[in-house]
Amino acid sequence: GAVVSQHPSRVICKSGTSVKIECRSLDFQATTMFWYRQFPKQSLMLMATSNEGSKATYEQGVEKDKFLINHASLTLSTLTVTSAHPEDSSFYICSATRDRANTGELFFGEGSRLTVL
Amino acid sequence: SQKIEQNSEALNIQEGKTATLTCNYTNYSPAYLQWYRQDPGRGPVFLLLIRENEKEKRKERLKVTFDTTLKQSLFHITASQPADSATYLCALGTSSASKIIFGSGTRLSIRP
């Protein structure tokens, strides 16, 4: 099956610093990638939809200047949490789809746990 | 407003029994519905997809039903095993949207 790799799996940073998380589709070209955050015992909250070569579409309430998304190629999308604060601590997960109409299976990365001190 | 609800936050059943999880939705017309499994600290893993014109789908010990009249999907695991213990998420997608919306999940525990 298709593999999505996410890096780093865990990161601890000081308040005020920026953290970059990478999401790569290893064996397929991802037409669209999605970024989610998940709090303990809660479901995935979609943050933004990212298409290669175009600006990301952010969900309501998600600050685009806070969570910078870059989708430079069909196999790589990055999420940068800028000036991170403790309330940004969460589990961030990316997913990718091969289906241009996005009507099929999502392939998820393993997630990145961010802890902001 | 659109809402997706999974029947219970947690479900605890005896090994060997059939586990049944429920996903209900309101103010939504999904073109398809998916079920995912998520283990602690890991990303979700796709299990099954069922489309609006399908009533039932099976895959090994898994069975999914989709009732667009009741606006409900049932997810069954037969002959459950402790290894089936995980959180199960339902997700809905429409033909007009480019994103899939997830339910809050049901944490299933199978006791030996």
Side-chain angles (χ1 to χ4, degrees):
Chain A
V3 178
V4 174
S5 173
Q6 204 171 323
H7 178 81
S9 58
R10 291 180 182 273
V11 57
I12 300 173
C13 70
K14 292 183 179 179
S15 185
T17 60
S18 295
V19 174
K20 180 186 284 188
I21 301 169
E22 290 187 349
C23 179
R24 292 180 186 273
S25 55
L26 297 185
D27 53 358
F28 68 101
Q29 292 187 327
T31 53
T32 305
M33 288 184 169
F34 303 89
W35 286 96
Y36 305 82
R37 65 187 299 181
Q38 186 177 34
F39 293 105
K41 297 186 179 180
Q42 294 187 26
S43 190
L44 299 146
M45 186 192 83
L46 180 66
M47 297 175 67
T49 302
S50 168
N51 291 295
E52 184 263 340
S54 62
K55 289 184 178 180
T57 302
Y58 289 82
E59 294 300 300
Q60 194 171 14
V62 178
E63 299 174 58
K64 61 181 181 182
D65 295 329
K66 171 78 172 174
F67 299 99
L68 299 177
I69 292 173
N70 183 280
H71 195 155
S73 75
L74 282 170
T75 59
L76 174 64
S77 177
T78 61
L79 167 69
T80 301
V81 183
T82 62
S83 186
H85 288 93
E87 59 265 29
D88 298 323
S89 298
S90 187
F91 192 52
Y92 292 88
I93 310 176
C94 70
S95 70
T97 177
R98 292 185 289 196
D99 176 359
R100 190 165 291 278
N102 296 329
T103 57
E105 177 181 352
L106 287 176
F107 301 95
F108 283 87
E110 288 295 335
S112 300
R113 182 157 307 279
L114 171 64
T115 302
V116 184
L117 302 176
Chain B
S1 60
Q2 296 176 335
K3 192 181 287 187
I4 303 171
E5 291 182 323
Q6 293 191 237
N7 58 323
S8 56
E9 187 179 316
L11 190 62
N12 193 323
I13 68 167
Q14 182 74 43
E15 180 178 8
K17 301 289 185 184
T18 295
T20 298
L21 284 65
T22 306
C23 178
N24 294 293
Y25 57 93
T26 54
N27 297 321
Y28 215 107
S29 296
Y32 59 94
L33 187 148
Q34 301 178 344
W35 283 89
Y36 288 81
R37 169 184 173 140
Q38 186 176 24
D39 291 287
R42 309 290 293 272
V45 174
F46 173 81
L47 296 175
L48 281 167
L49 179 151
I50 186 166
R51 299 192 184 279
E52 59 177 335
N53 60 348
E54 298 176 312
K55 296 292 185 186
E56 183 179 297
K57 210 82 167 288
R58 291 177 185 261
K59 180 182 176 182
E60 297 173 352
R61 293 185 295 113
L62 308 180
K63 185 178 85 171
V64 172
T65 63
F66 194 7
D67 190 325
T68 55
T69 301
L70 292 178
K71 295 185 183 295
Q72 179 182 81
S73 173
L74 298 179
F75 176 79
H76 305 273
I77 304 176
T78 58
S80 60
Q81 306 166 1
D84 295 325
S85 299
T87 295
Y88 291 86
L89 304 167
C90 71
L92 278 68
T94 69
S95 55
S96 62
S98 62
K99 60 191 180 189
I100 295 171
I101 305 298
F102 285 82
S104 55
T106 296
R107 192 168 63 255
L108 177 65
S109 297
I110 309 297
R111 59 181 186 275

